């Protein structure tokens, strides 16, 4: 059970949060210009890394804000947390 | 005849407090302070159960939570009964009853014992291999297996006890109150760390308080005496909370631990009532100090499982702590010095020790010399090759061990005995450590797995960290505490420790016998009856991974998770396969460390607190008027309102007719409501709905369909424009929270530039939906000054009005196809609004209807219900709702996906109507649809999604999804059922009032 440092509320128990999948996958600005393959790449393809992964999380039972997390999926170490729109920390 | 083996009074046993209890129906006596195990042993009862597979008689092996054999059913036949309880952990109280498990008809005569004689036919994987074929026989096999090999019985009536949960935040959590745990907790608390010390036993002190090796001294005192003083001292330290009878079940990441605090299990029934039985502690600790100790290992030799064969340390504890002799003629079998301490303990109490069999060549430690002086016979370089005695050990046979330890030589000596203490060395209890995600490494010299890389703020101290001698323990504990707690001084700095020089042990994972290996039974996992033979068989059959061998042989898969024998299993695999143990790795120890009752896990969340449920403001009225309710998400919704003993069908038929013929009223308060404000609100709606929103005039309503990005229908509902920058969106009842979450996601992460604010107002409004040709007249009576003409208040529009002084929002929208109004008021006025409508509607015979009638009425109109007629694979095109998908809008959520080759396939499942050829047959929802009856296998074209008998059309109607259904109008299809095939015809899904004339009636 993680202890997650919400950038708006501070440290809270994991049960207040919901994971939202891989981060930094921007919705294409002009979807109609994309081929089926390009659209499928956006829609379905996720890396699912064993190791350092960039993820979206939402403080569902708190401030309801989305934020980003860098987590090592092999040992669940949370390496960094930063707000939406901010640049990911250098790895 | 039972004997009394109580040999000496013990300070932990209150001999003035005699307790009677029953075991397998027979009454015995023990004393306050006894466990069920110690009390049975005092009565010379060793046989307490049967093994799982071979039903071999089994006895008490240990004195703690690692017990594999003495697994009992406590208080059988009562509502407080509990299976799979370790007799070594049950504290006796007046009136306690317990019985053996896994034997029928009794532990003394067990029918399943025949399996023991058939055991050559029960090798590893037997169940997998045999009962797989033929498949149809599985049910019969299962019945047989469950009947003869059950692991206890679960209670059949409600649990009368109360369970609780508590959150604890502390600076330091110390797990285990042996010598290291006590000293760690004391120093942490004294340095102002808020400290919690927990131990699974009812007494503090671990094994050191019955430590009797007179050659070990702390500050010139016997370690047990020295520790007792420490225990007294820590009971009154500020910052330190101590919890006994508290077992840590799980150690999760980020130092989150779950512990079970046992509060009443040791009390008599009359003292249990109205008290919390167990409390689940949810502990978040800044630092964790694991002081979980070590478990003694058995030795693996032929027939090492008979009642009377125990761990040497357990024999010592029963003697020193409980004052009980485990036998009259005791023998020890060892590979290290610790058995000599046990032997000395018995000797000092006048209990007969026949011999010590040591697989080592010699040992020069003081305690061994002391034993030599007593005259107890020691057999060096000998091993036990066999044991005898069916229900109780009566002798062991020993032979000389070869130098390499792989064979035995010479003549066989038989030693008569009734108790054998086995000492195979110590295994650090690293279970919790590994649960936390931390990694172990194998110490080739000590033959143990030790903590290596920890992932969280934690240290392992004492024997669970690999320090087995008191001098090492104190020295390393001192370092670790200073380092981890960042403190300069501790009161360990000046402790003087003297210890007996112990000789190293000789480790042989599997001891040889004079019999061929195939004819021996060396048990590795006592509870699951896995022998060394099974493990070798698994390796011969090609299993290599330790995890596979474990599952194939079931080693370590019992309720004890193989705490005693896992190391031997690994050792035997390593030796057989010729690999190093370190390379083999270990199996995973999973929570809970010892089994937890469900009561503890759910705590207070039982009965009506099991789940949250939500009620509408009108709920009391529905209850008073005998509505039947259905659960929709967490909501309790009125389902139908039976009168005069109507069945559900009769009530729904009546309600449905009334709503179309005169007037009906529905409680629609549960619909999700999201208030949307901001200068970009219109643009936002354009992006989230499939249709266009920019041109919706203020005061108008529009139906919207929301897709997922994959093009599939996600939710629907009517949204009303209240002002220039203000909308109110309705969602489905079940989808409200998810829709809000999804909209927030897009706003925050994809379109942060939009000026839009979302607020859930579902609970703030109560909604009554008035429908039917007389709904207008009823509303007129309630709000006389509101102009209800079609010109002023047309279909799909909105008005604000007052009922008396109460403000309300009225939408003229319809989910039934009738002329209808949705009246929204502040939630607290909901019930008044409802009563007012009922009163005004009386002259029109206004009829309350529930969700079932609502579903029927909308099905007559072919309106979909998201989640019933759709299942996450339906696009709006599949639903024949092309009209709602804007061709002009450049983008909206899911738009691009509607042009993927897959979503454009003509043969996708599409929504159609179905009519049965016989209008009285109502199809079953979920029934499959086919076009051919004489084909095998037959192609499933789709299934029925909604089906009703329509009282207004006087026939059965259904909605269905059918492959390529759009171009099948008029086609005959079949719905094959178990006993008949139903002929159906594909039709337009709008069954009633296709031209929507009734909306303005
Ligand atoms: Zn937050």
């Amino acid at each position: 059970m993680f202890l997650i440092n919400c950038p708006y509320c501070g440290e809270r128990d994991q049960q207040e949060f919901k994971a939202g999948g891989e981060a930094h996958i921007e919705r294409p600005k002009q979807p109609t210009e994309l081929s089926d393959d390009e659209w499928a790449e956006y829609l379905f393809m996720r890396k699912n890394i064993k190791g350092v992964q960039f993820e979206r999380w939402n403080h569902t039972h708190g401030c309801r804000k989305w934020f980003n997390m860098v987590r090592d999926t092999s040992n669940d170490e949370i390496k960094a947390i930063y707000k939406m729109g901010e640049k990911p920390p250098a790895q | 005849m039972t004997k009394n083996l109580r040999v000496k009074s013990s300070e932990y046993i209150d001999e003035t407090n005699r307790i009677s209890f029953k075991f397998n129906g027979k009454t015995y006596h023990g004393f306050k302070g006894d466990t069920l195990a110690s009390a049975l042993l005092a009565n010379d009862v060793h046989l307490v159960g049967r093994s799982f597979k071979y039903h071999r008689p089994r006895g008490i092996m240990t004195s703690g939570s690692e017990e594999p054999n003495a697994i009992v059913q406590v208080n059988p036949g009562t509502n407080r009964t509990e299976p799979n309880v370790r007799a070594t952990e049950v504290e006796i109280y007046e009136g306690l009853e317990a019985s053996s498990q896994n034997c029928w008809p009794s532990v003394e005569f067990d029918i399943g014992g025949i399996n023991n004689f058939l055991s050559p036919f029960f090798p590893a994987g037997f169940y997998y291999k045999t009962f797989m074929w033929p498949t149809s026989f599985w049910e019969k096999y299962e019945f047989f297996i469950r009947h003869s090999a059950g692991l206890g019985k679960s209670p059949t009536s409600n649990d009368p006890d109360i369970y609780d949960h508590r959150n604890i935040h502390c600076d330091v959590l110390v797990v285990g109150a042996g010598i290291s745990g006590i000293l760690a907790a004391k120093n942490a608390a004294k340095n102002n760390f808020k400290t919690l010390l927990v131990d699974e036993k009812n007494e503090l002190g671990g094994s050191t308080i019955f430590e009797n090796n007179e050659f070990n001294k702390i500050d010139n005192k016997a370690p047990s005496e020295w520790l007792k003083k420490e225990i007294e001292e820590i009971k009154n330290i500020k910052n330190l909370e101590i919890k006994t009878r508290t077992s840590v079940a799980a150690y999760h990441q980020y130092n989150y631990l779950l512990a079970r605090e046992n509060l009443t299990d040791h009390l008599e029934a009359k003292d249990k009532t109205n008290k919390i039985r167990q409390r689940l502690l949810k502990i978040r600790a800044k630092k964790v100090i694991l002081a979980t100790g070590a478990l003694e290992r058995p030795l693996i030799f032929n027939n090492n499982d008979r009642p009377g064969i125990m761990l040497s340390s357990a024999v010592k504890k029963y003697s020193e702590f409980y004052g009980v002799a485990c036998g009259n003629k005791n023998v020890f079998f060892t590979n290290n010095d610790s058995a000599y301490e046990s032997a000395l303990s018995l000797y000092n109490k006048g209990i007969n020790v026949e011999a010590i069999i040591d697989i080592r060549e010699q040992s020069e430690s003081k305690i061994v010399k002391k034993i030599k002086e007593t005259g107890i016979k020691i057999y060096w370089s000998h091993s036990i090759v066999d044991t005898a005695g069916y229900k109780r050990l009566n002798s062991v046979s020993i032979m000389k061990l070869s130098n390499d330890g792989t064979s035995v030589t010479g003549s066989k000596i038989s030693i008569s005995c009734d108790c054998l203490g086995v000492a195979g060395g110590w295994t650090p209890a690293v279970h919790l450590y590994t649960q936390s995600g931390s990694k172990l490494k194998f110490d080739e010299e000590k033959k143990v797995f030790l903590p290596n890389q920890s992932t969280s703020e934690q240290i392992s101290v004492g024997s669970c960290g690999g320090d087995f001698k008191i001098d090492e323990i104190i020295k390393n504990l001192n370092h670790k505490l200073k380092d981890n707690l960042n403190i300069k001084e501790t009161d360990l700095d000046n402790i003087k420790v003297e210890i007996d020089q112990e000789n190293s042990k000789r480790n042989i994972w599997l001891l040889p016998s004079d019999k061929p290996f195939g004819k021996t039974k060396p048990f590795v996992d006592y509870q699951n009856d896995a022998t060394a033979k099974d493990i070798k068989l698994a390796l011969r059959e090609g299993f290599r991974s330790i995890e596979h061998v474990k599952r194939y042989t079931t080693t370590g898969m019992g309720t004890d998770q193989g705490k005693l024998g896992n190391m031997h299993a690994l050792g035997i695999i390593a030796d057989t396969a010729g690999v190093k143990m370190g390379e083999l790795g270990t199996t995973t120890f999973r929570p809970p460390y010892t089994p937890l009752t469900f009561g503890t896990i759910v705590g207070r969340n039982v009965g009506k607190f099991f789940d949250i449920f939500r009620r509408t403001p009108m709920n009391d009225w529905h209850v008073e008027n005998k509505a039947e309710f259905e659960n929709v998400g967490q909501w309790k919704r009125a389902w139908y309102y039976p009168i005069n003993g109507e069945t559900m069908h009769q009530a729904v038929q009546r309600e449905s007719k009334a709503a179309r013929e005169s007037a009906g009223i529905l409680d629609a308060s549960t619909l999700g409501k999201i208030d949307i404000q901001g200068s970009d609100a219109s643009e936002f709606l354009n992006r989230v709905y499939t249709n266009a929103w920019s041109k919706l005039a203020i005061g108008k309503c529009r139906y919207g369909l929301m897709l997922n990005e994959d093009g599939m229908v996600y939710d629907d509902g009517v949204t009303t424009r209240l002002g220039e920058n203000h909308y109110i969106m309705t969602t489905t009842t079940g989808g409200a929270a998810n829709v809000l979450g999804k909209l927030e996601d897009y706003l925050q992460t994809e379109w942060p530039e939009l000026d839009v604010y979302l607020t859930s107002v579902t609970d703030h409004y109560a909604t009554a939906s008035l429908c039917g040709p007389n709904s207008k007249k009823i509303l007129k009576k309630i709000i006389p000054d509101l102009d209800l003409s079609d010109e002023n208040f047309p279909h799909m529009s909105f008005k604000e009005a007052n009922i008396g002084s109460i403000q309300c929002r009225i939408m003229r929208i319809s989910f039934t196809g009738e002329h209808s109004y949705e009246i929204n008021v502040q939630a607290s006025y909901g019930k008044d609004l409802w009563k007012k409508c009922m009163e005004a509607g009386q002259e029109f015979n206004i009829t309350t209807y529930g969700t079932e009638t609502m579903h029927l009425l909308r099905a007559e109109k072919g309106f979909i219900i998201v989640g019933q007629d759709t299942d996450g694979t339906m696009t709006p095109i599949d639903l024949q709702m092309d009209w709602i998908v804007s061709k002009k809008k450049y983008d909206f959520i899911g738009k691009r996906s509607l042009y993927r080759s897959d979503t454009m396939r003509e043969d996708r499942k599409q929504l159609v109507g179905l009519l049965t050829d016989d209008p009285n047959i109502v199809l079953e929802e979920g029934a499959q649809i086919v076009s051919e009856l004489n084909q095998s296998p037959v192609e499933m074209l789709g299934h029925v999604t909604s089906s009703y008998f329509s009282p207004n059309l006087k026939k059965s109607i259904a909605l269905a999804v059918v492959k390529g259904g759009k171009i099948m109008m008029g086609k005959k299809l079949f719905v094959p059922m178990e006993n008949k095939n139903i002929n159906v015809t594909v039709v337009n899904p709008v069954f009633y009032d296709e031209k929507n004339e009734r909306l303005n009636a």
Side-chain angles (χ1 to χ4, degrees):
Chain A
M1 194 77 83
F2 308 165
L3 197 58
I4 297 173
N5 195 0
C6 171
Y8 305 93
C9 309
E11 275 193 343
R12 294 288 191 279
D13 193 278
Q14 184 187 342
Q15 65 184 8
E16 292 185 16
F17 298 84
K18 206 166 139 182
E22 194 177 327
H24 303 297
I25 299 175
E26 196 183 347
R27 186 175 189 272
K29 291 270 182 288
Q30 296 174 316
T32 45
E33 316 280 302
L34 301 183
S35 68
D36 268 15
D37 283 352
E38 287 166 330
W39 180 245
E41 184 67 32
Y42 160 72
L43 199 55
F44 302 120
M45 298 306 174
R46 297 296 182 267
K47 292 199 195 91
N48 196 20
I49 295 164
K50 180 181 180 184
V52 175
Q53 177 164 288
F54 293 75
E55 303 175 331
R56 291 154 22 101
W57 282 75
N58 185 224
H59 195 182
T60 41
H61 297 281
C63 61
R64 286 189 6 210
K65 285 282 194 185
W66 284 89
F67 57 88
N68 295 310
M69 180 190 287
V70 187
R71 179 174 68 105
D72 187 332
T73 59
S74 68
N75 61 8
D76 286 330
E77 186 195 346
I78 297 171
K79 292 180 170 292
I81 281 175
Y82 52 101
K83 292 178 181 175
M84 279 294 156
E86 289 180 357
K87 282 235 153 45
Q91 283 299 311
Chain B
M1 197 180 68
T2 59
K3 285 175 270 185
N4 186 0
L5 291 182
R6 194 76 61 172
V7 288
K8 184 203 149 214
S9 59
S10 151
E11 62 186 286
Y12 300 100
I13 297 295
D14 178 4
E15 291 196 41
T16 63
N17 195 343
R18 193 164 180 260
I19 287 169
S20 63
F21 65 97
K22 275 187 182 169
F23 182 67
N24 286 334
K26 198 175 160 192
T27 302
Y28 296 93
H29 296 284
F31 298 115
K32 186 82 193 156
D34 265 325
T35 61
L36 179 58
S38 69
L40 287 171
L41 291 169
N43 286 283
D44 203 23
V45 176
H46 275 257
L47 172 60
V48 290
R50 293 272 176 165
S51 69
F52 184 68
K53 202 158 71 177
Y54 305 130
H55 288 246
R56 282 168 72 102
R58 290 281 164 82
I60 297 158
M61 270 207 87
T62 73
S63 57
S65 57
E66 71 272 34
E67 176 61 39
N69 288 343
I71 306 293
V72 298
Q73 179 101 23
V74 172
N75 295 320
T78 71
N79 55 4
R80 281 207 167 92
T81 192
E82 188 177 349
N84 304 329
V85 181
R86 292 146 304 284
T88 48
E89 290 198 299
V90 177
E91 296 173 49
I92 61 164
Y93 50 85
E94 191 63 38
L96 168 73
E97 287 192 35
S99 63
S100 300
Q101 289 182 180
N102 204 22
C103 49
W104 184 82
S106 78
V107 71
E108 295 286 337
F109 176 75
D110 178 74
I111 282 182
I114 195 102
N115 286 3
N116 188 26
F117 303 107
L118 296 175
S119 67
F121 308 108
F122 281 79
F126 174 76
Y127 288 106
Y128 299 131
K129 287 169 182 163
T130 310
F131 295 133
M132 281 310 292
W133 184 90
T135 320
S136 58
F137 269 39
W138 171 245
E139 278 180 31
K140 290 190 182 75
Y141 291 138
E142 195 188 13
F143 176 80
F144 165 75
I145 294 168
R146 294 212 183 283
H147 221 65
S148 61
L151 274 175
K153 290 192 173 63
S154 50
T156 51
S157 52
N158 280 349
D159 188 336
D161 282 315
I162 306 165
Y163 299 84
D164 197 25
H165 287 181
R166 187 181 147 197
N167 288 296
I168 295 181
H169 296 264
C170 58
D171 296 326
V172 177
L173 168 69
V174 182
V175 185
I179 186 166
S180 348
I182 286 169
L183 295 175
K186 180 184 167 191
N187 280 288
K190 281 195 164 173
N191 283 283
N192 291 320
F193 291 96
K194 192 185 161 208
T195 305
L196 174 64
L197 172 65
V198 301
D199 194 280
E200 62 183 2
K201 299 214 157 53
N202 59 345
E203 289 281 348
L204 302 179
S207 61
T208 310
I209 44 163
F210 53 91
E211 160 72 51
N212 65 329
N213 186 334
E214 62 201 67
F215 304 107
N216 294 338
K217 293 263 189 301
I218 303 178
D219 287 344
N220 292 318
K221 287 199 182 86
S224 54
E225 291 308 311
W226 183 85
L227 188 60
K228 278 172 201 163
K229 236 184 65 236
E230 293 290 310
I231 291 170
E232 282 315 303
E233 205 181 309
I234 62 163
K235 284 180 180 163
N236 301 307
I237 299 185
K238 206 176 63 161
N239 289 327
L240 176 59
E241 189 180 1
I242 302 172
K243 287 187 175 295
T244 53
R245 297 189 178 100
T246 300
S247 159
V248 174
Y251 186 167
H252 297 294
Q253 306 120 324
Y254 294 84
N255 279 349
Y256 182 69
L257 297 92
L258 298 173
R260 174 201 47 212
E261 185 182 14
N262 210 331
L263 299 163
T264 67
D265 276 0
H266 59 294
L267 301 178
E268 286 178 42
K270 68 176 167 58
D271 297 327
K272 289 185 206 278
T273 43
N274 296 323
K275 284 188 189 142
I276 292 164
R277 180 191 170 199
Q278 293 180 350
R279 189 180 274 137
L280 188 72
L281 307 177
K282 302 172 173 180
I283 307 166
R284 187 72 82 168
K286 293 212 177 80
K287 291 168 188 288
V288 173
I289 298 177
L290 293 170
T292 46
L295 304 175
E296 188 164 47
R297 288 178 191 170
L299 290 166
I300 311 302
F301 53 95
N302 184 25
N303 286 321
N304 59 343
D305 66 325
R306 299 191 190 281
I309 300 179
M310 307 173 68
L311 294 181
S312 154
S313 59
V315 174
K316 177 168 129 189
K317 183 167 185 184
Y318 286 116
S319 149
E320 289 286 332
F321 193 91
Y322 299 103
V324 171
C326 294
N328 291 311
K329 287 193 279 183
N330 295 278
V331 170
F332 289 92
F333 183 28
T334 188
N335 68 1
N336 69 91
D337 282 353
S338 60
Y340 294 82
E341 294 182 12
S342 304
L344 191 60
S345 167
L346 301 195
Y347 177 82
N348 287 340
K349 289 182 173 54
I351 306 165
N352 182 26
V353 179
E354 297 281 322
I356 299 177
I357 299 137
D358 196 324
I359 65 172
R360 298 175 299 176
E361 282 167 20
Q362 196 50 267
S363 170
E364 291 303 327
S365 55
K366 290 176 187 164
I367 184 109
V368 173
K369 283 183 184 151
K370 175 101 185 170
I371 289 289
K372 284 180 183 167
E373 288 164 18
T374 66
I376 294 171
K377 173 83 179 147
I378 305 172
Y379 292 91
W380 297 103
S381 298
H382 273 70
S383 180
I384 294 181
V385 294
D386 204 354
T387 66
Y390 184 57
K391 288 180 201 164
R392 175 74 181 269
L393 180 71
N394 59 33
S395 71
V396 296
S397 307
I398 67 169
M399 286 173 80
K400 181 104 177 130
L401 193 60
S402 68
N403 286 341
D404 65 356
T406 60
S407 60
V408 282
T409 56
S411 56
K412 209 187 283 188
I413 306 165
S414 178
I415 304 170
S416 165
C417 60
D418 59 358
C419 178
L420 175 69
V422 179
W426 298 86
T427 299
V430 292
H431 308 73
L432 293 175
Y433 173 85
T434 55
Q435 279 183 21
S436 74
S438 297
K439 297 276 177 281
L440 299 167
K441 72 160 189 273
F442 189 70
D443 183 324
E444 286 289 347
E445 192 202 315
K446 291 181 177 169
K447 300 284 178 204
V448 290
F449 280 98
L450 292 176
N452 187 26
Q453 278 176 301
S454 53
T455 53
S456 44
E457 272 286 329
Q458 63 175 207
I459 47 173
S460 293
V461 301
S463 56
C464 74
D467 299 327
F468 297 104
K469 295 177 200 161
I470 292 180
D471 58 338
E472 282 175 4
I473 289 173
I474 294 200
K475 193 180 82 190
N476 290 330
L477 173 64
N478 201 11
H479 288 314
K480 287 177 182 173
L481 283 179
K482 285 180 177 173
D483 197 43
N484 187 256
L485 302 179
N486 198 19
I487 50 179
K488 289 210 170 56
E489 287 176 3
T490 71
D491 60 1
L492 305 179
D493 289 334
N494 302 313
I495 292 181
K496 278 207 300 290
V497 182
E498 288 167 50
I499 64 146
D500 186 9
Q501 265 317 311
E502 195 184 334
N503 278 50
S504 61
K505 69 173 185 185
R506 180 183 187 187
N507 201 79
I508 300 173
W509 294 117
L510 173 59
L511 290 158
S513 169
D514 58 325
K515 284 190 188 164
F517 180 61
K519 294 248 156 55
T520 62
K521 280 209 186 70
F523 286 92
V524 174
D525 182 320
Y526 302 88
Q527 193 175 105
N528 271 349
D529 268 357
T531 65
K533 268 193 300 187
D534 295 321
I535 292 169
K536 292 202 174 197
L537 175 69
L539 291 168
R540 275 208 306 281
E541 291 189 0
F543 290 92
R544 284 293 170 268
S545 150
I546 171 69
E547 293 286 357
H548 291 160
V549 173
K550 166 181 164 175
R551 280 158 184 78
Y552 193 58
T553 61
T554 70
T555 304
M557 288 175 68
T559 57
D560 62 338
Q561 295 192 40
K563 290 186 181 86
L564 293 187
N566 266 353
M567 286 301 295
H568 306 82
L570 289 168
I572 292 165
I573 293 169
D575 286 352
T576 310
V579 294
K580 286 194 161 167
M581 279 183 77
E583 291 159 15
L584 212 54
T586 58
T587 56
T588 317
F589 296 110
R590 293 192 171 79
Y593 180 69
T594 46
L596 285 177
T597 60
F598 281 113
T600 312
I601 294 166
V602 298
R604 304 267 177 177
N605 302 321
V606 292
K608 63 178 174 177
F609 301 117
F610 180 68
D611 194 13
I612 297 163
F613 54 89
R614 302 167 78 184
R615 288 186 271 217
T616 74
M618 292 81 139
N619 184 74
D620 289 351
W621 193 96
H622 307 321
V623 172
E624 281 159 27
N625 289 273
K626 307 280 187 296
E628 293 290 333
F629 288 84
E630 75 166 330
N631 297 327
V632 182
Q634 289 174 324
W635 287 100
K636 296 276 172 199
R637 291 200 73 178
W639 194 10
Y640 59 96
Y641 299 80
I643 49 174
N644 303 327
E646 281 174 327
T647 62
M648 172 167 165
H649 176 75
Q650 290 164 336
V652 170
Q653 295 289 305
R654 171 181 54 76
E655 290 171 9
S656 302
K657 266 175 88 77
R660 293 220 188 277
E661 284 170 4
S662 177
I665 182 168
L666 171 84
D667 181 355
S669 307
T670 62
L671 284 182
K673 295 175 271 291
I674 300 170
D675 185 89
I676 303 174
Q677 300 193 43
S679 54
D680 293 316
S682 304
E683 171 61 17
F684 179 66
L685 289 173
N686 260 335
R687 295 187 191 186
V688 301
Y689 277 134
T690 61
N691 46 349
W693 289 79
S694 335
K695 292 194 181 120
L696 184 69
I698 294 170
K700 296 287 181 193
C701 315
R702 184 165 288 171
Y703 173 76
L705 205 56
M706 201 181 287
L707 310 184
N708 262 333
E709 206 67 271
D710 61 7
M712 304 303 156
V713 171
Y714 182 67
D715 204 81
D716 68 345
V718 170
T719 295
T720 302
R721 189 167 195 175
L722 301 173
E724 177 63 28
N725 298 321
H726 192 187
Y727 292 82
I728 180 109
M729 172 189 280
T730 57
T731 72
T732 58
T733 296
N738 289 337
V739 169
L740 181 67
K742 178 184 160 94
L743 298 183
E744 276 286 353
D745 186 354
Y746 275 90
L747 262 186
Q748 289 181 35
T749 68
E750 299 293 352
W751 309 320
E753 73 280 6
L754 293 186
D755 175 39
V756 176
Y757 303 89
L758 306 174
T759 311
S760 167
V761 293
T762 304
D763 294 303
H764 303 67
Y765 290 97
T767 310
S769 178
L770 265 181
C771 94
N774 285 319
S775 58
K776 191 176 183 174
K777 291 176 196 152
I778 297 169
L779 188 61
K780 189 76 197 168
K781 280 176 72 181
I782 302 170
I783 314 174
D785 50 353
L786 181 62
D787 178 1
L788 297 179
S789 66
D790 286 346
E791 295 72 41
N792 183 57
F793 197 177
H795 181 58
M796 297 307 272
S797 66
F798 154 82
K799 292 285 173 210
E800 272 184 327
N802 287 312
I803 303 175
S805 60
I806 302 167
Q807 276 191 333
C808 55
R809 288 173 174 174
I810 306 168
M811 282 84 169
R812 187 174 158 192
I813 52 179
S814 176
F815 190 43
T816 59
E818 295 298 315
H819 187 125
S820 40
Y821 301 93
E822 280 189 7
I823 311 166
N824 296 276
V825 294
Q826 193 183 313
S828 50
Y829 296 117
K831 199 172 159 191
D832 296 323
L833 168 70
W834 187 266
K835 283 184 181 160
K836 207 147 192 108
C837 292
M838 293 303 294
E839 210 177 278
Q842 200 174 14
E843 63 177 292
F844 306 100
N845 187 27
I846 190 169
T847 301
T848 52
Y849 67 92
T851 48
E852 191 63 21
T853 293
M854 173 185 84
H855 287 177
L856 190 159
L857 294 173
R858 65 86 208 180
E860 289 178 337
K861 286 293 295 176
F863 294 150
I864 59 155
I865 288 187
V866 174
Q868 176 161 345
D869 304 297
T870 73
D871 59 3
T873 67
M874 303 295 287
T875 69
I877 320 301
D878 297 337
L879 294 170
Q880 307 219 40
M881 291 172 78
D882 312 45
W883 55 270
I884 202 170
V885 180
S886 164
K887 303 275 184 303
K888 291 186 195 133
K889 279 203 293 185
Y890 180 71
D891 192 14
F892 55 82
I893 297 172
K895 170 162 178 156
R896 176 61 186 81
S897 289
L898 299 179
Y899 304 96
R900 292 178 61 235
S901 55
D902 184 58
T903 43
M904 286 173 39
R905 275 188 298 116
E906 298 284 322
D907 63 345
R908 289 177 62 84
K909 284 185 183 169
Q910 291 146 354
L911 187 81
V912 295
L914 288 185
L915 287 177
T916 47
D917 289 3
D918 176 347
N920 290 316
I921 296 179
V922 179
L923 296 171
E924 270 186 42
E925 289 174 0
Q928 296 289 329
I929 300 160
V930 301
S931 62
E932 294 290 334
L933 284 173
N934 301 319
Q935 225 175 37
S936 180
V938 64
E939 191 194 3
M940 303 293 191
L941 292 178
H943 64 275
V944 177
T945 59
S946 295
S947 175
Y948 305 91
F949 187 83
S950 161
N952 299 299
L953 297 162
K954 298 189 176 55
K955 64 183 177 192
S956 149
I957 57 166
L959 298 176
V961 292
V962 176
K963 274 185 196 167
K966 265 184 206 180
I967 51 165
M968 282 190 184
M969 290 306 131
K971 193 171 161 70
K972 301 275 184 193
L973 296 175
F974 307 97
V975 176
M977 298 303 291
E978 200 174 357
N979 300 317
K980 61 185 171 186
N981 297 310
I982 303 167
N983 298 329
V984 296
T985 307
V986 179
V987 296
N988 183 325
V990 184
F991 299 98
Y992 189 78
D993 183 28
E994 206 173 331
K995 292 185 182 134
N996 289 328
E997 286 162 344
R998 300 184 64 85
L999 287 173
N1000 295 314

